């Protein structure tokens, strides 16, 4: 996206997300970030293993 | 009135633990205790307690037309809703 | 000064909003976790109703990964459902 390409090259990936999460969730951002990371990991792992296909093939609502 | 999607966390929080009537699309209506509103998708979680458990309905934020409070929260229901979310205890965690 | 107290008020307001957002989000994430491996009924646009076993959601709530999706024309073993297609979904605890 345009936002990530505008980031200085020295910035490590993930740093931006941590900063954004801090702005959104304040003191609790670390906890939310950890919960989200675990959930996304499960989602990605399941998709890798099971190779699910979209249903329906064509979106119902565009 | 601002749309539900853009109401924001402080407004959404005001509905938590209350009994609400949700207008969904043009013809649908759902009632229940509001467990939470996802601040990312504005999706609403409604809980209806039964004798042997509870039924849960999640309404996607984009489908929510209107939310109306039917009944204020009470400590007993708020506690039931809170317990509802606690991770189930597993035997592996027991000593 | 006036600007300092205004800035303090802004900071307080931001903190209130952050606390509200994290409380709401944590509850929602926990709710998604309790759905794992549960039978979920999806009520979708165009009056499409399907049942499936819930797997996981991505964190942006754009897709649900499900198994044993009972579609009107048969069972799809593994599927992704677009959240945009869904009006609501229900499950029992």
């Amino acid at each position: 996206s345009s936002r990530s390409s505008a980031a200085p090259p020295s910035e490590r990936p993930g740093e931006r997300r941590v900063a954004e999460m801090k702005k959104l969730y304040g003191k609790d951002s670390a906890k939310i970030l950890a919960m989200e990371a675990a959930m996304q990991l499960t989602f990605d792992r399941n998709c890798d293993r099971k190779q699910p296909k979209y249903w329906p093939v064509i979106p119902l609502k565009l | 009135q601002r749309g539900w999607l853009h109401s924001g966390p402080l407004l959404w929080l005001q509905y938590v633990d209350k009994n609400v009537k949700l207008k969904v699309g043009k013809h649908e209506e759902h009632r229940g205790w509001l467990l939470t509103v996802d601040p990312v998708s504005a999706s609403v979680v409604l809980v209806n307690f039964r004798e042997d458990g509870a039924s849960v309905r999640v309404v996607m934020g984009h489908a929510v037309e209107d939310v109306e409070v039917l009944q204020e929260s009470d400590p007993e229901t708020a506690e039931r809703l809170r317990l509802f979310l606690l991770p189930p205890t597993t035997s592996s965690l027991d000593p | 000064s006036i600007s300092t107290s205004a800035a303090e008020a802004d900071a307080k307001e931001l903190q209130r909003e952050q606390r509200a957002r994290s409380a709401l989000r944590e509850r929602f994430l926990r709710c998604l976790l309790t759905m794992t491996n549960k039978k979920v009924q999806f009520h979708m646009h165009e009056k499409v109703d399907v049942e499936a076993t819930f797997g996981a959601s991505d964190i942006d709530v754009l897709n649900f990964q499900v198994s044993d999706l009972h579609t009107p024309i048969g069972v799809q073993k593994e599927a992704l459902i677009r959240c945009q297609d869904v009006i609501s979904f229900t499950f029992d605890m």
Side-chain angles (χ1 to χ4, degrees), chain B residues 9-10 12-13 16-17 24 28 35-41 45 50 52-60 62-63 84-85 87, chain C residues 13 16-17 20-21 23-25 27-28 30-31 34-35 43 45 59-61 64 83-93:
Chain B
L10 289 172
W12 289 324
L13 191 69
V16 166
D17 292 344
V24 181
E28 252 181 84
L35 184 71
T36 192
V37 179
D38 175 35
V40 173
S41 63
V45 183
R50 294 181 323 239
D52 56 340
S55 64
V56 184
R57 181 182 292 270
V58 182
V59 181
M60 305 310 292
H62 64 81
F84 180 85
L85 285 165
Chain C
E13 182 72 2
R16 274 183 60 219
E17 194 175 290
R21 189 180 285 114
L24 293 166
R25 182 67 166 164
R27 279 188 166 212
F28 186 73
R30 282 186 188 277
C31 181
T34 63
M35 285 167 59
H43 311 280
H45 288 285
I59 58 171
D60 301 313
V61 201
F64 296 133
C83 297
Q84 272 298 321
D85 286 345
V86 177
I87 296 170
S88 73
F89 56 93
T90 52
F91 63 98
D92 288 335
M93 290 288 292

Side-chain angles (χ1 to χ4, degrees), chain B residues 12-71:
Chain B
W12 289 324
L13 191 69
Q14 289 181 15
Y15 293 97
V16 166
D17 292 344
K18 293 179 183 176
N19 199 269
V20 300
K21 181 168 86 179
L22 219 63
K23 258 181 76 183
V24 181
K26 292 224 167 12
H27 313 288
E28 252 181 84
E29 209 175 272
H30 300 291
R31 293 164 190 238
W33 296 99
L34 191 140
L35 184 71
T36 192
V37 179
D38 175 35
V40 173
S41 63
S43 299
V44 179
V45 183
L46 296 180
V47 177
N48 281 286
F49 293 109
R50 294 181 323 239
E51 270 176 42
D52 56 340
S55 64
V56 184
R57 181 182 292 270
V58 182
V59 181
M60 305 310 292
H62 64 81
V64 176
E65 287 287 325
D66 188 46
V67 184
E68 184 190 325
V69 175
L70 299 175
Q71 202 182 322

